[in-house]
Amino acid sequence: AQTVTQSQPEMSVQEAETVTLSCTYDTSENNYYLFWYKQPPSRQMILVIRQEAYKQQNATENRFSVNFQKAAKSFSLKISDSQLGDTAMYFCAFPISEKLVFGKGTKLTVNP
Amino acid sequence: SQTIHQWPATLVQPVGSPLSLECTVEGTSNPNLYWYRQAAGRGLQLLFYSVGIGQISSEVPQNLSASRPQDRQFILSSKKLLLSDSGFYLCAWSPGALANTGELFFGEGSRLTVL
């Protein structure tokens, strides 16, 4: 079965510090995408970052980067220089055919 | 540019009453459409998805149904609501196969409370 697991229900970080959110997945596919989505308190979900499994280089989007370990099936999100606006639920996601399967999410709180 | 709208934003309904949540997408054609339900501590659960008019795939047996009467319209319905139907419902669309594009665009969500 193809699954996505986020083992950290809640995390907190001080403003300007770095935090890493964990995600593991299970698949028998060789080529695929992995995603991190952010859902701020306003509730509209948006894509944060996308990683293509065939690319060895980790994806980076400004302060957001991933640590993709294909053999370990691990896909963590690193947020550098955390800002108050980063407070949100973060979901790791994996596409299976026409569907996107999400982990249970990590609630991140950035403290001033 | 493409936009997605869903309504109503908030709904309080008695047990046994019907439900209709609507979602429309503008600025694109033949989108893939999705209904997710979000419950605390359980992440997002895919309820239904559609790759074309009249084509509905159901992910979990439940008290809900979905329809796609027009290319860019997706409706979530129930004939008789249960307490367990309470939750936050999210409509989303994608421009093509998720395995190729991967990105879902979400609506603002609808909070349903069944009393």
Side-chain angles (χ1 to χ4, degrees):
Chain A
Q2 292 162 310
T3 59
V4 179
T5 303
Q6 293 179 251
S7 58
Q8 304 152 314
E10 293 190 39
M11 294 188 73
S12 63
V13 64
Q14 291 299 121
E15 196 174 5
E17 293 186 349
T18 295
V19 63
T20 299
L21 310 182
S22 302
C23 174
T24 58
Y25 61 95
D26 186 23
T27 181
S28 56
E29 300 291 325
N30 192 41
N31 294 319
Y32 48 88
Y33 287 85
L34 290 161
F35 309 92
W36 279 98
Y37 279 81
K38 171 185 178 181
Q39 187 182 40
S42 65
R43 292 285 192 172
Q44 193 148 20
M45 189 94 70
I46 56 172
L47 178 67
V48 174
I49 198 165
R50 168 179 21 216
Q51 174 75 44
E52 297 169 72
Y54 68 88
K55 290 187 176 179
Q56 293 185 341
Q57 186 175 6
N58 289 326
T60 299
E61 290 285 344
N62 300 315
R63 297 181 297 105
F64 298 86
S65 61
V66 302
N67 182 6
F68 176 50
Q69 303 290 330
K70 190 173 183 180
K73 296 181 180 175
S74 171
F75 180 59
S76 59
L77 174 70
K78 186 172 83 170
I79 306 175
S80 304
D81 186 26
S82 297
Q83 300 177 0
L84 296 178
D86 296 333
T87 291
M89 283 289 292
Y90 288 84
F91 294 94
C92 179
F94 178 84
I96 301 173
S97 184
E98 297 297 337
K99 303 170 288 187
L100 200 59
V101 177
F102 290 84
K104 292 187 176 182
T106 297
K107 183 179 180 181
L108 176 67
T109 302
V110 180
N111 299 309
Chain B
S1 63
Q2 301 90 1
T3 56
I4 178 170
H5 302 284
Q6 63 175 107
W7 68 94
T10 305
L11 196 60
V12 180
Q13 292 285 101
V15 169
S17 64
L19 171 73
S20 180
L21 300 179
E22 296 194 30
C23 175
T24 60
V25 180
E26 297 176 358
T28 188
S29 59
N30 197 31
N32 287 5
L33 296 170
Y34 305 82
W35 278 111
Y36 281 87
R37 178 165 58 199
Q38 185 175 12
R42 295 178 62 185
L44 281 84
Q45 180 187 35
L46 179 62
L47 302 176
F48 302 94
Y49 69 95
S50 171
V51 299
I53 296 175
Q55 300 179 57
I56 307 296
S57 296
S58 175
E59 286 297 296
V60 292
Q62 56 206 323
N63 186 42
L64 303 169
S65 62
S67 61
R68 185 172 178 172
Q70 301 180 43
D71 181 44
R72 292 170 292 170
Q73 183 183 25
F74 206 24
I75 299 171
L76 184 68
S77 304
S78 174
K79 293 183 179 179
K80 290 185 178 181
L81 283 168
L82 305 172
L83 288 174
S84 57
D85 292 324
S86 294
F88 190 67
Y89 291 83
L90 287 163
C91 181
W93 74 275
S94 68
L98 283 173
N100 297 330
T101 68
E103 185 166 4
L104 276 180
F105 299 90
F106 286 86
E108 303 92 339
S110 299
R111 167 71 63 190
L112 170 65
T113 303
V114 183
L115 301 175

